[in-house]
Amino acid sequence: ISLLDCGQIKELTTFQRLGLADLILSINKWEKLNKKIETSASDEKLQLQPQLDELTHITATKVKSFNVRFKEGVNDTCAAAVAILLFGNTDTKLPGGYAGEEISKDSPIVQVAEFPQELVLLGRATVMIRGIANRLGISWGLSDRWAAIASDAIEASSNPKESLPIWSVSQPSIITAAVNINSNR
């Protein structure tokens, strides 16, 4: 096992973190619906497929909002497959028949023309984790693990003063009160 990217860090903006949280939730919904379709009777599959197609489009739009660019002629299914490959469960079948192995010629990653620098380290980390989980025969998925946290992050973003740790609030009342008390001594 090698240690990759030792010492490298990337900071995501609040906008990017919330976008990533939203993408994680979209992938999680897609995977749950896809699993339901896989285990449903054929008439129910036909009823659920339009919902899955819509979630595929929504997920693709969210991927593209990060300025991920694809080769000419690539459709939304590929963009969604890239996201599901990076952040989905190891045993999820990707949309469009794409391969779940990053280095396969049928991988959706092959169709990526440009990937934002600030997400490269995160992408590498998720690919490494997926590879280790596959090697150990463990079904693992980031969207399952991060869905609750992603939901909390989006909810908290609507009222940041109540959700931020005290050291990050610009004028926390407890610190202001302590400074006032100490200055009066």
Side-chain angles (χ1 to χ4, degrees), residues 41-116:
S42 60
D43 57 330
E44 189 177 9
K45 286 180 184 184
L46 290 174
Q47 291 176 346
L48 295 174
Q49 190 60 47
Q51 292 175 35
L52 189 67
D53 293 342
E54 179 64 19
L55 272 174
T56 300
H57 174 71
I58 289 168
T59 303
T61 301
K62 291 175 184 184
V63 169
K64 292 174 185 177
S65 75
F66 282 101
N67 293 320
V68 177
R69 304 285 181 245
F70 294 88
K71 293 178 180 175
E72 188 77 27
V74 172
N75 61 22
D76 283 351
T77 304
C78 182
V82 166
I84 295 164
L85 175 65
L86 291 175
F87 303 115
N89 287 300
T90 54
D91 57 355
T92 298
K93 290 182 183 175
L94 299 180
Y98 287 101
E101 296 80 32
E102 304 79 34
I103 58 174
S104 168
K105 67 179 177 64
D106 297 324
S107 170
I109 292 176
V110 173
Q111 300 300 324
V112 174
E114 188 177 326
F115 197 79

Side-chain angles (χ1 to χ4, degrees), residues 154-168:
I154 291 170
E155 184 179 324
S157 71
S158 64
N159 192 355
K161 271 198 161 185
E162 290 186 18
S163 63
L164 294 173
I166 195 160
W167 48 262
S168 66

